Amino acid sequence: MPGQYNSQPPVAWRYSGNQLKRWRTKANISREQLAEAANYSPDTIKSMEQGVRMPTPRVLDVADELFRAEGMLSAAKDYLQRERFPARAQDFMEREREAISRWSYEATLVSGLLQTEVYARTLIENRYPPLGEELVEQRIAARVERQAILTRPNPPVGLSFVLYEAVLRSPQVDTEQLHRLLEVSRLRNVALQVLPFERAVSAALMGPMVLLETRAHERFAFTEGPFASELSADPGVVNRVTERISMIRTQALSPAESARFIEGMVDRQ
């Protein structure tokens, strides 16, 4: 079940923007009037109607009342929630919510499930091309909400994280982030391991990988690059990713050794 990044704006943005324009035209209300009522610039409203920007909940609610749409526009908010994630990651996020098992290897960044809000904000605010302020806040909130999977009681999720040492040496990783890693590593359903530089195998240099198993016992592999990502249920792909992560796990420090490694980094900061 492959999915490739699409540079075109998400369908939900374009459809909601199209409906916003149709209802505005039907109500004989100008773009400037809507912009004033919602406290946005006319250009921003235009970009929402064109599907270039995601229509915000405030604009949809204001427009719904102003155009007397009787909830038809406000209803779009539910369909836009998934757009808080980048387009190329949306299918993966949906599968992640269904997971009972999740293994991952990260070569450059702390896994989103382990990030502090400060770390997440640094990454998202410095994304290029830059995101609008409102979308930045939505992405940060969505990333923090994802972390509920760490302590989900029914069913609990078996989680395995392996972080390459380069991840921890990044200047964005501060003491708070290191403490967060230690905190999560103490959860009974979590195994957190560090792969030191000197133990790196070739598979560790191929980029991040995630394996998921859902409640229906479907298995997925997710690989991500700077410009393209793929979610696959193909058994051959899943098996290759399984073998690579398994090899990396055998080379990594044990969870207890990894905790001591991170504690040592905290002491040196």
Side-chain angles (χ1 to χ4, degrees), residues 106-127 136 139-141 143-144 146-147 163-181 265 269:
E106 293 289 346
T108 56
L109 299 172
V110 175
S111 169
L113 297 181
L114 304 175
Q115 294 175 8
T116 63
E117 185 173 338
V118 171
Y119 183 96
R121 181 176 296 278
T122 299
L123 296 183
I124 294 171
E125 285 186 337
N126 289 282
R127 180 186 181 277
V136 165
R139 291 274 174 91
I140 293 169
R143 189 161 300 183
V144 172
R146 276 180 64 208
Q147 297 177 2
L163 304 178
Y164 189 36
E165 184 177 346
V167 173
L168 304 179
R169 300 295 180 187
S170 167
Q172 287 82 25
V173 175
D174 57 12
T175 302
E176 181 188 11
Q177 181 62 73
L178 293 173
H179 279 298
R180 174 61 177 164
L181 296 178
M265 292 188 66
Q269 286 201 351

Side-chain angles (χ1 to χ4, degrees), residues 38-261:
N39 197 27
Y40 280 94
S41 72
D43 284 343
T44 298
I45 297 298
K46 180 180 178 180
S47 66
M48 290 181 186
E49 290 184 345
Q50 293 175 336
V52 177
R53 295 184 63 166
M54 184 184 79
T56 64
R58 184 168 80 245
V59 165
L60 291 170
D61 285 340
V62 169
D64 195 280
E65 183 176 352
L66 196 61
F67 306 160
R68 298 181 180 179
E70 299 182 348
M72 299 293 288
L73 288 173
S74 292
K77 292 186 293 183
D78 293 337
Y79 298 91
L80 291 167
Q81 286 302 304
R82 71 193 302 267
E83 310 303 345
R84 296 183 302 170
F85 299 110
R88 59 178 175 165
Q90 287 165 11
D91 288 341
F92 169 72
M93 297 304 174
E94 290 186 2
R95 297 296 183 272
E96 186 181 72
R97 284 194 289 268
E98 304 167 5
I100 58 171
S101 174
R102 185 190 189 279
W103 291 9
S104 70
Y105 168 69
E106 293 289 346
T108 56
L109 299 172
V110 175
S111 169
L113 297 181
L114 304 175
Q115 294 175 8
T116 63
E117 185 173 338
V118 171
Y119 183 96
R121 181 176 296 278
T122 299
L123 296 183
I124 294 171
E125 285 186 337
N126 289 282
R127 180 186 181 277
Y128 191 84
L131 301 173
E133 184 175 344
E134 190 159 359
L135 188 53
V136 165
E137 296 304 322
Q138 291 172 351
R139 291 274 174 91
I140 293 169
R143 189 161 300 183
V144 172
E145 288 173 16
R146 276 180 64 208
Q147 297 177 2
I149 195 175
L150 295 169
T151 55
R152 193 180 73 195
N154 186 29
V157 184
L159 297 156
S160 170
F161 301 95
V162 182
L163 304 178
Y164 189 36
E165 184 177 346
V167 173
L168 304 179
R169 300 295 180 187
S170 167
Q172 287 82 25
V173 175
D174 57 12
T175 302
E176 181 188 11
Q177 181 62 73
L178 293 173
H179 279 298
R180 174 61 177 164
L181 296 178
L182 290 170
E183 176 188 351
V184 173
S185 72
R186 298 186 188 105
L187 296 173
R188 289 190 302 108
N189 60 312
V190 173
L192 192 151
Q193 297 174 261
V194 175
L195 178 68
F197 289 131
E198 65 271 15
R199 294 195 184 187
V201 292
S202 58
L205 306 178
M206 295 181 180
M209 298 169 276
V210 182
L211 283 170
L212 294 174
E213 182 176 355
T214 69
R215 301 183 194 195
H217 301 294
E218 299 171 301
R219 300 178 69 215
F220 295 90
F222 182 68
T223 54
E224 187 172 14
F227 301 110
S229 302
E230 182 180 11
L231 177 70
S232 178
D234 180 270
V237 175
V238 172
N239 286 338
R240 285 195 296 274
V241 173
T242 300
E243 289 176 3
R244 289 176 182 174
I245 290 186
S246 296
M247 174 60 72
I248 291 170
R249 291 179 74 190
T250 64
Q251 296 301 309
L253 300 174
S254 70
E257 291 170 331
S258 298
R260 289 193 291 270
F261 186 96

